[in-house]
Amino acid sequence: MPPQPNRSPNGDPEVVIRVRDLVVELGNKIILDHLNMEVYRGEILGLVGASGSGKSVLTRAIIGLLPKRLGTIEVFGENFDELPPVARRALEQRWGIMFQHGALFSSLTVKQNIQVPMREFLDLSDELLDELAMLKIEMVGLSPDAAEKYPSELSGGMTKRAALARALSLDPEIVFLDEPTSGLDPIGAGEFDELLIALHETLKFTVFMVTHDLDSLHTVCDRIAALAAGTIIAAGTIETILTSPDPWLRAYFQGPRARAAFGLDLAKAKHD
């Protein structure tokens, strides 16, 4: 059973991200159409959807990298649009982002990549920056000699871990992960999932994870939100999603690949 989300004083799950009636348009095409969703403190939420459905667009809209046409986005109870620049900058320090394919700066070493957010937001000595970067490198399971390597010298799995270390550089309360296991072989993807679970249990951050990896959805996520036709068509636990009558969800979660990932859970859901 997944851990229960943190509760507010009135007993309801504590919401750290609230999206209401979000409309995002790119090139005169509406990508997100009056979308509503919530993310609870302390949970790992997996966002799924077909290719081109707008999963990464939603992530970028939440963190302010894409403009919206309508709607509101609240993070930690703050309306991002209403915050003055200083307050927005302070809010941005409370989340970390791991972009798809890592997005490491090719001209910087792993250690220097990890230090980029630290140098932007913190006033620390070079000695302390080095110490903190090495701590993050160890935290994600990279060897110390990876610190001086450039992205071109890293394997796919090492790139993912380095990108995760950079996302964790400011000890964020929310971590955004965009397809964190894409491009990894099954062993590497499984090891990354195990790392994420261990870090989440230790650091207690909230995770908003875009993924199509059925194994990750099954083993890592507390809840799943499904995006289709520009909106969230279902949200809940694996068990809830498996009982959805929606044709796309049934094809996605009850197809041949899902049988391997979900095993008896899928068989039980189909029987029920």
Side-chain angles (χ1 to χ4, degrees), residues 242 253-254 258-260 262-272:
L242 287 174
F253 285 99
Q254 298 187 21
R259 293 190 182 97
F262 292 93
L264 293 177
D265 290 344
L266 175 58
K268 183 178 184 299
K270 293 184 74 175
H271 177 72
D272 293 342

Side-chain angles (χ1 to χ4, degrees), residues 66-182:
L66 281 178
K68 57 185 176 58
R69 199 173 83 178
L70 292 171
T72 60
I73 299 172
E74 294 181 358
V75 183
F76 301 116
E78 301 281 358
N79 187 327
F80 207 63
D81 292 335
E82 298 176 353
L83 294 176
V86 172
R88 288 187 63 157
R89 187 171 175 83
L91 188 62
E92 289 169 352
Q93 294 182 55
R94 300 174 68 183
W95 65 54
I97 308 164
M98 177 182 168
F99 293 102
Q100 192 172 0
H101 309 305
L104 298 174
F105 295 106
S106 60
S107 61
L108 302 180
T109 64
V110 168
K111 181 175 69 176
Q112 291 167 338
N113 265 283
I114 295 169
Q115 290 172 343
V116 168
M118 299 178 187
R119 293 185 184 277
E120 180 178 357
F121 290 105
L122 307 176
D123 183 16
L124 301 175
S125 67
D126 288 342
E127 181 179 358
L128 185 52
L129 286 170
D130 287 346
E131 183 177 337
L132 290 173
M134 294 306 297
L135 178 63
K136 303 303 179 184
I137 287 170
E138 180 182 2
M139 184 183 297
V140 299
L142 288 172
S143 61
D145 63 357
E148 302 304 328
K149 293 182 181 294
Y150 288 89
S152 61
E153 301 174 294
L154 304 177
S155 67
M158 292 173 69
T159 298
K160 299 286 188 180
R161 290 172 185 257
L164 179 60
R166 185 175 64 182
L168 297 175
S169 63
L170 297 178
D171 299 321
E173 296 171 60
I174 302 175
V175 179
F176 294 90
L177 306 176
D178 193 352
E179 299 285 7
T181 59
S182 65

Side-chain angles (χ1 to χ4, degrees), residues 228-241:
T231 191
I232 299 297
I233 60 172
T237 63
I238 286 285
E239 291 76 16
T240 300
I241 297 296

